[in-house]
Amino acid sequence: MILSIIKRGVLLCSLAFPLSGSMFAQNVAQTLKTDIPLDSIRLSDPFILADRPTQTYYMTGTGGKLWKSKDLKKWTGPYTIAQTDPKSWMGPTPMIWAAELHAYKGKYYYFATFTNKAIKLGEGLERRACHVLVSDRPEGPYVPMKDSTYLPEDKLTLDATLWTDTDGKPYMIFCHEWLQNGDGTVEKIAMKPDFSGTTGPSKLLFLASDSPWSREKNKDGTDRPNKVTDGPWLFRTKTGKLGMLWTSWIYDVYTQGVAYSESGKLDGPWVQEKEPVSPPNFGHGMLFRTFKGKLLMSIHSHRSVNGRTVRVPRLFEVDDSGDKLAIGKQILDAR
């Protein structure tokens, strides 16, 4: 996510803020806002966990903070919930990107991309990698587990998410950064049963260049597929079709596409849809069901405020009754 922002020259400070990774972050007094409308929150990569035990919606994303709501209309936050280890590779104040919350077998897991600007890889690229924290509660605090590294430390990875495949095993799905490999990837790697680390090598699912809809310009002015892979999110339709939302660019427009697995399994093969699945200027979407059973997509769009580009969470209705997702209207009252 972060490097696709850099590629477009958008000011990072207008999109997200560094989050202190100190183990003592929870002891700092937090200034909270209440009754904030969704479209008044500035947030990239909005992820919403609908937690039935607490009948509460929990939203996080880039910046790593947490917002709470009972009705998806009015939100309270931001709460600091991540407690990383300042002695780890992340350092004392890592930046946090594209955080997600996943409930799994009685625990809550915080999947996120952490960046340590003090560590450089290759051609001056800041070290960033996907990592997982754990908590007994959806609101945290989320703390480190056993393994200090989930993916190879010389590999720039981002936007991890969780999927349990037909073999019953959980997998981390993530992107390998295009600035390092020249053609962004989406890959899978097996998780340990307790999510304390990963096991075995990762496997390529597809490349950015597989996309028929994303575009950028070659030096000679001709078109080519865009290099960026961003924000994978797995889903299964009511007919059993396995699909994956993911985001790239059409020139300078952030755009979301979708791919479907022909085998119904993570290994694919993955076939890309010819056209984007969402309107232009929307991306990094995920799906969740409201407590009344309505399927929604949480996604962000760009907006100019006083000459600065900001990202704003949005909600869309979604129909998954067929083999392919159908994105409906944008909604303000999601109840």
Side-chain angles (χ1 to χ4, degrees):
M1 168 60 201
I2 173 175
L3 290 177
S4 64
I5 295 174
I6 294 174
K7 180 176 184 288
R8 300 300 161 184
V10 179
L11 290 176
L12 295 178
C13 63
S14 69
L15 302 181
F17 300 91
L19 173 66
S20 172
S22 170
M23 293 292 286
F24 303 101
Q26 288 290 318
N27 295 328
V28 178
Q30 301 183 62
T31 301
L32 302 179
K33 302 175 182 179
T34 60
D35 295 331
I36 305 300
L38 184 66
D39 62 1
S40 294
I41 297 173
R42 306 293 181 258
L43 183 65
S44 300
D45 318 323
F47 181 98
I48 296 177
L49 170 68
D51 186 61
R52 289 195 175 277
T54 60
Q55 287 292 292
T56 302
Y57 298 100
Y58 298 91
M59 181 171 66
T60 186
T62 286
K65 301 289 188 175
L66 183 74
W67 293 81
K68 301 178 185 180
S69 176
K70 290 293 186 178
D71 61 7
L72 293 172
K73 294 181 66 179
K74 300 294 185 180
W75 295 81
T76 298
Y79 298 88
T80 298
I81 60 171
Q83 296 185 355
T84 56
D85 181 358
K87 296 181 181 180
S88 72
W89 69 266
M90 299 178 193
T93 55
M95 301 183 78
I96 300 181
W97 305 83
E100 297 187 359
L101 304 178
H102 294 274
Y104 188 87
K105 294 186 177 180
K107 295 282 190 178
Y108 294 87
Y109 296 93
Y110 184 95
F111 282 59
T113 304
F114 297 86
T115 298
N116 186 342
K117 296 171 69 69
I119 300 178
K120 299 296 190 295
L121 299 177
E123 299 178 359
L125 299 173
E126 297 166 353
R127 182 174 178 190
R128 72 178 43 82
C130 304
H131 202 85
V132 181
L133 307 177
V134 65
S135 178
D136 291 325
R137 305 182 304 161
E139 64 266 33
Y142 288 87
V143 299
M145 288 184 282
K146 181 179 179 181
D147 287 9
S148 60
T149 303
Y150 278 70
L151 295 163
E153 59 187 58
D154 61 346
K155 189 173 185 177
L156 295 183
T157 57
L158 68 159
D159 293 358
T161 191
L162 173 67
W163 183 254
T164 301
D165 205 13
T166 54
D167 59 6
K169 297 179 180 179
Y171 291 86
M172 175 187 284
I173 314 302
F174 66 94
C175 299
H176 182 193
E177 181 57 61
W178 68 272
L179 279 180
Q180 189 176 50
N181 61 22
D183 191 358
T185 71
V186 174
E187 304 181 27
K188 74 167 190 177
I189 191 168
M191 302 287 295
K192 293 180 179 179
D194 63 354
F195 288 15
S196 64
T198 58
T199 180
S202 63
K203 180 177 180 179
L204 175 68
L205 301 182
F206 61 82
L207 297 162
S209 58
D210 292 337
S211 167
W213 54 265
S214 70
R215 293 186 294 280
E216 63 183 6
K217 291 292 185 182
N218 288 309
K219 291 182 179 180
D220 63 4
T222 59
D223 281 1
R224 55 153 286 161
N226 200 283
K227 303 181 186 73
V228 174
T229 48
D230 188 283
W233 173 261
L234 282 294
F235 63 90
R236 199 175 290 279
T237 68
K238 289 182 178 178
T239 64
K241 192 77 170 180
L242 178 62
M244 186 191 306
L245 298 170
W246 68 285
T247 302
S248 191
W249 298 79
I250 299 179
Y251 307 124
D252 61 348
V253 180
Y254 199 53
T255 307
Q256 183 168 265
V258 64
Y260 293 96
S261 170
E262 287 192 332
S263 68
K265 301 178 181 180
L266 269 179
D267 287 341
W270 288 89
V271 178
Q272 304 290 334
E273 290 290 278
K274 293 182 179 179
E275 300 295 334
V277 70
S278 300
N281 196 32
F282 289 88
H284 206 113
M286 57 80 63
L287 305 176
F288 70 99
R289 289 195 184 275
T290 70
F291 299 130
K292 293 186 177 181
K294 181 184 294 185
L295 184 63
L296 299 180
M297 175 185 289
S298 175
I299 196 169
H300 74 245
S301 66
H302 300 77
R303 187 166 77 190
S304 179
V305 177
N306 297 324
R308 298 174 61 195
T309 298
V310 299
R311 294 188 169 189
V312 181
R314 304 290 189 183
L315 296 176
F316 281 85
E317 293 180 346
V318 180
D319 180 2
D320 66 342
S321 60
D323 280 343
K324 296 183 178 181
L325 287 185
I327 308 303
K329 65 181 179 180
Q330 185 178 172
I331 55 176
L332 298 177
D333 187 347
R335 292 175 295 176

